Each structure stands twice: as C-alpha cells, then as structure tokens.
Amino acid sequence: MTAPIETRWYDVMRVALDEARGALATDDVPIGAVVLDSSGIVIGRGRNLREADADPTGHAEIVALRSAAQVRGEWRLDGCTLVVTLEPCTMCAGALVLARVDRLVFGAYDPKAGAVGSLWDVVRDRRLNHRPEVVAGGLADESTELLDDFFRDQRG
C-alpha cells in the first residue's frame, strides 16, 4: 500500500526538484533524486545524466544511489530514504530494492514506465527479499509541470 505524502517530505522533494532543474543544462529529462540517511541528512544527490554522459543507466535514482553508497563506503543503504521527482522505472526500482533502501518517496506517477504501481510494482513484489515503504504524491504537480514544459520545448 502507498502511504499518503506528509508535509515533512516537501522540503526534501524541493531539493530533488532543484536537482531535476539542473538536468536541463545538459538537455536531460528533468528528474532529480536525493538519498537521506536515517537521521535525515542528504548523503546522495542525482539528476538524469543519460545525455550528458551517454549512459543508459544515468537515471537520477541510480546517480543518487551511487553517490550515497560512496559516502557510506558500502552498497547497502539500509536506513535510507530515496526521494525522487518521478515514479522510478523498472531499473531504478530494482536498484533501490537491491540497495536495501528503507523508504521511497516520489512525486509524480509515470503511467508510461512506472514500476512502483503504474505499470509494474517491483518494490512490493513478495518474491523479492526486500520491500521498502512507499510514499507517493509529494509535489507531484511541480514535478509534472517541469516534465511537461521540458517535453513541450523538445517538440518545439
């Protein structure tokens, strides 16, 4: 079950939105992510870098998870929360499960590629050994508007 968004996540979602805006400088889709440790300190940040790095795995969530793992000095991110502006895809949902992230907070749903309830529900698949808490809908309108503006500009 997806928990309703609490206002305590809004400030962190704004940090993720700032990361998303940073992706615009490299013509990447504006998606941003941050990882918080168990005390609420940001230990990882990421934005889409697929275009900038010519990297198909350069999704904001993967970049943020890698950054947090480097800070921690290990791949296990238990006790952490991943906050991202858009519902993760299958790759990113799988990565956060494998990293043992405790909680996922996301903004807008992604009806075309979402893997946290829209098309698939990777993070709650009982066959997997870890299932993070999911909190959805944080500043979804802002996330959607940023994406809509980006794609409108791309179409010209």
Side-chain angles (χ1 to χ4, degrees):
M1 177 171 227
T2 301
I5 190 76
E6 297 175 25
T7 56
R8 69 182 171 127
W9 296 116
Y10 287 2
D11 288 340
V12 182
M13 187 60 75
R14 286 184 184 94
V15 175
L17 281 163
D18 286 342
E19 286 294 324
R21 288 182 194 95
L24 294 170
T26 57
D27 291 327
D28 276 286
V29 176
I31 299 170
V34 294
V35 176
L36 307 172
D37 68 10
S38 59
S39 63
I41 307 248
V42 174
I43 61 168
R45 295 173 181 262
R47 62 183 63 145
N48 271 6
L49 295 172
R50 290 187 311 170
E51 299 298 330
D53 293 353
D55 179 0
T57 68
H59 290 206
E61 300 95 324
I62 301 297
V63 174
L65 290 170
R66 285 178 181 153
S67 173
Q70 281 197 324
V71 166
R72 273 211 162 168
E74 64 177 329
W75 62 267
R76 288 177 193 85
L77 298 176
D78 53 298
C80 291
T81 298
L82 174 66
V83 179
V84 62
T85 58
L86 185 68
E87 177 185 4
C89 69
T90 53
M91 174 181 69
C92 296
L96 74 96
V97 167
L98 293 173
R100 312 289 197 282
V101 171
D102 281 4
R103 181 182 302 109
L104 166 66
V105 177
F106 71 88
Y109 279 93
D110 184 355
K112 294 182 180 178
V116 185
S118 288
L119 291 181
W120 300 280
D121 203 350
V122 172
V123 299
R124 288 178 279 241
D125 189 320
R126 295 199 178 279
R127 296 169 292 183
L128 299 175
N129 65 341
H130 180 74
R131 287 180 295 284
E133 174 189 358
V134 176
V135 180
L139 302 181
D141 291 342
E142 289 90 334
S143 297
T144 300
E145 182 179 357
L146 189 58
L147 289 163
D148 287 348
D149 290 349
F150 173 79
F151 287 113
R152 187 173 23 262
D153 291 346
Q154 293 293 309
R155 289 189 294 269

